[in-house]
Amino acid sequence: AELMTNIVEKKGKDGQYAYGVFKLYTATKAYRDLALSAVKADGGRAESETKVLAVPSAVALTLQIVSDLVLSAMDDAEGGSKYVPDAMSAEYAVGAFHAMLPSILQAGEPARKSLQTEKACAEINQMLLTYSDIAGTSAEAKTKAKQAAERVSVASSTSRPVLEISYDLWTQYRKREGQPLDQFISQERGIEVDESGPLDFLPCSSSDSSCVIL
């Protein structure tokens, strides 16, 4: 996870997980392979063994890598990243996210509904489905992205703490990069509003905003 972060953010000391030493696809493949090995080691249950890998900062990084590729592939998308990942890096990131889902989607205790979980599930679901439609994506990556999207969507009815924190970190990254925060909000779901307009998870904080309320 540290190596992936250093590569994306272009930092680190030479010879010590520095971005100039390793390629992103090498780091994401290693992370994906660790996640898959953890699943096998746990007899297919995966939750206990993948928990050590599914820390929110690492999960958020997989979302960041995939969404950056999606934005770079969309002609009408605004914003961008200082590091545009290659297709294989995004594919490995999807594979890691898919393998870690048992830990990512672990329910909070006591069980309760959460608006933040609903937001996270809706956006991540849409982002993964958008990724699965990108030309050049392998059949295996498309399948894993769609499977992950479905499992995330189904999990929206109960609070998922790891997913919520990961989503928050991913959102903070997109804000720093100046990326549109409504890019992965499904137009079929509608947008929650109050007397001031869309809720603050959208970039509509000022009266002269150009947001559209659906």
Side-chain angles (χ1 to χ4, degrees), residues 26-45:
T26 302
T28 51
K29 182 179 186 298
Y31 189 65
R32 191 275 316 259
D33 290 347
L34 283 172
L36 291 176
S37 296
V39 172
K40 294 177 182 179
D42 203 26
R45 295 187 302 274

Side-chain angles (χ1 to χ4, degrees), residues 19-190:
Y19 78 93
V21 179
F22 299 95
K23 299 295 185 182
L24 184 60
Y25 62 78
T26 302
T28 51
K29 182 179 186 298
Y31 189 65
R32 191 275 316 259
D33 290 347
L34 283 172
L36 291 176
S37 296
V39 172
K40 294 177 182 179
D42 203 26
R45 295 187 302 274
E47 185 176 303
S48 62
E49 294 295 334
T50 59
K51 187 177 295 185
V52 68
L53 294 171
V55 294
S57 58
V59 176
L61 188 56
T62 63
L63 296 174
Q64 171 185 328
I65 291 169
V66 179
S67 67
D68 278 350
L69 181 72
V70 171
L71 288 177
S72 70
M74 298 171 66
D75 293 335
D76 59 345
E78 298 179 1
S81 170
K82 62 186 177 184
Y83 190 99
V84 178
D86 59 279
M88 288 307 300
S89 295
E91 182 169 332
Y92 293 141
V94 167
F97 183 84
H98 180 277
M100 295 186 297
L101 278 174
S103 294
I104 295 172
L105 298 180
Q106 186 174 18
E109 296 181 1
R112 61 179 178 83
K113 289 185 67 66
S114 167
L115 177 59
Q116 186 71 358
T117 288
E118 291 179 10
K119 291 178 185 176
C121 289
E123 285 198 57
I124 293 171
N125 169 272
Q126 187 62 37
M127 187 270 287
L128 290 171
L129 290 178
T130 303
Y131 166 78
S132 70
D133 288 334
I134 293 177
T137 303
S138 73
E140 181 180 1
K142 287 178 182 286
T143 298
K144 288 190 180 299
K146 290 177 180 179
Q147 289 176 346
E150 176 63 23
R151 290 171 65 181
V152 167
S153 180
V154 171
S156 65
S157 60
T158 303
S159 172
R160 313 285 173 176
V162 174
L163 185 70
E164 287 185 12
I165 299 171
S166 303
Y167 168 76
D168 184 58
L169 292 172
W170 177 45
T171 300
Q172 289 177 28
Y173 163 77
R174 290 184 290 162
K175 286 181 179 178
R176 291 195 304 271
E177 293 291 316
Q179 296 177 358
L181 299 186
D182 60 347
Q183 189 69 51
F184 302 117
I185 295 177
S186 173
Q187 300 303 302
E188 297 179 357
R189 293 180 63 88

Side-chain angles (χ1 to χ4, degrees), residues 10-23:
K10 297 186 177 181
K11 65 181 185 180
K13 296 179 180 179
D14 288 342
Q16 298 179 8
Y17 300 113
Y19 78 93
V21 179
F22 299 95
K23 299 295 185 182

